[in-house]
Amino acid sequence: MSLHASSRSGTAGAEELDPSKEERAGRVREVGGQAVWSLSSCKPGFGVQQLRDDCLDSYWQSDGPQPHLVNIQFRRKTTIQDVWIYADYKADESYTPSRISVRCGSHFNDLQEVEVVELHEPTGWLLITLKDLKERPGINTYMVQIAVLSNHQNGRDTHMRQIKIHAPVRDAPVSVYAPCAFTSLALRRDQTIR
């Protein structure tokens, strides 16, 4: 099975990427809160809580050998449309990721790489859009793993300031009719709520 992802990063003069824009428009929802997050390592006080606190001034800092891993496990199969990562080369320099791998699967033992993203001094939100084999947005998965393979200036540990995980919002029709057609007058009278 091969999967596909595409990525964009904010550049000077380009429209600033904002993960909450699609959320406010009702096209996606942030589902990271429904997952169990774990890290390969972290310095005390620089862990998952800082990675998910919606504050661009705080960050996760790894404390161990590369690759540095962020594991996001869902309790049920979830469609993931995109992954957003906030990085700040100006503030973090050699701690800034330069190569990131995104992997998906059911558990740690069957993860498949969906994309490797090369970054050049990123500052701002980075978007990695996940697509299925037919190029439709979204991958159904139980687990997403973000692996920092290398840092700028050959840095050892890494900083990531925020990660957001988006799922598409699906419009499902809601039926107001009973699933079966009643034939008696008594049942037909009571089949609708007014």
Side-chain angles (χ1 to χ4, degrees):
M1 171 196 279
S2 84
L3 303 170
H4 173 73
S6 63
S7 64
R8 284 190 291 157
S9 63
T11 57
E15 178 185 335
E16 185 69 27
L17 293 175
D18 179 8
S20 60
K21 184 177 179 183
E22 292 291 304
E23 288 178 58
R24 288 190 303 266
R27 290 187 277 274
V28 296
R29 60 190 173 91
E30 211 287 329
V31 294
Q34 299 171 10
V36 175
W37 292 66
S38 63
L39 305 168
S40 56
S41 66
C42 68
K43 294 258 190 212
F46 297 92
V48 171
Q49 184 176 352
Q50 288 71 32
L51 191 58
R52 297 283 300 157
D53 66 2
D54 285 327
C55 176
L56 300 179
D57 294 327
S58 61
Y59 52 85
W60 160 53
Q61 181 175 332
S62 64
D63 187 21
Q66 289 177 347
H68 305 298
L69 306 175
V70 179
N71 304 303
I72 306 153
Q73 295 176 280
F74 295 91
R75 289 175 174 82
R76 61 176 173 245
K77 195 173 245 188
T78 304
T79 302
I80 304 302
Q81 181 170 309
D82 49 55
V83 175
W84 290 82
I85 299 171
Y86 191 89
D88 189 348
Y89 179 78
K90 292 174 186 168
D92 299 328
E93 296 182 348
S94 67
Y95 290 92
T96 307
S98 62
R99 193 162 188 243
I100 295 175
S101 169
V102 178
R103 305 159 182 171
C104 294
S106 298
H107 47 76
F108 285 98
N109 298 323
D110 74 349
L111 293 173
Q112 294 184 11
E113 189 169 82
V114 281
E115 184 69 11
V116 175
V117 180
E118 301 284 340
L119 306 171
H120 180 70
E121 299 182 4
T123 298
W125 285 103
L126 310 167
L127 168 63
I128 303 170
T129 303
L130 305 180
K131 295 186 179 183
D132 68 9
L133 294 172
K134 296 181 181 178
E135 296 296 312
R136 293 178 302 213
I139 294 176
N140 291 320
T141 188
Y142 284 99
M143 182 174 180
V144 176
Q145 183 180 76
I146 300 166
V148 177
L149 305 176
S150 63
N151 291 326
H152 285 76
Q153 304 170 8
N154 294 317
R156 178 177 167 255
D157 287 322
T158 197
H159 286 182
M160 273 197 207
R161 293 186 172 263
Q162 292 293 299
I163 296 177
K164 303 249 182 222
I165 306 292
H166 283 164
V169 172
R170 306 244 189 248
D171 292 329
V174 177
S175 176
V176 294
Y177 300 104
C180 58
F182 294 115
T183 54
S184 74
L185 288 177
L187 289 175
R188 286 168 80 192
R189 182 185 66 226
D190 296 327
Q191 78 180 2
T192 353
I193 299 172
R194 296 181 193 204

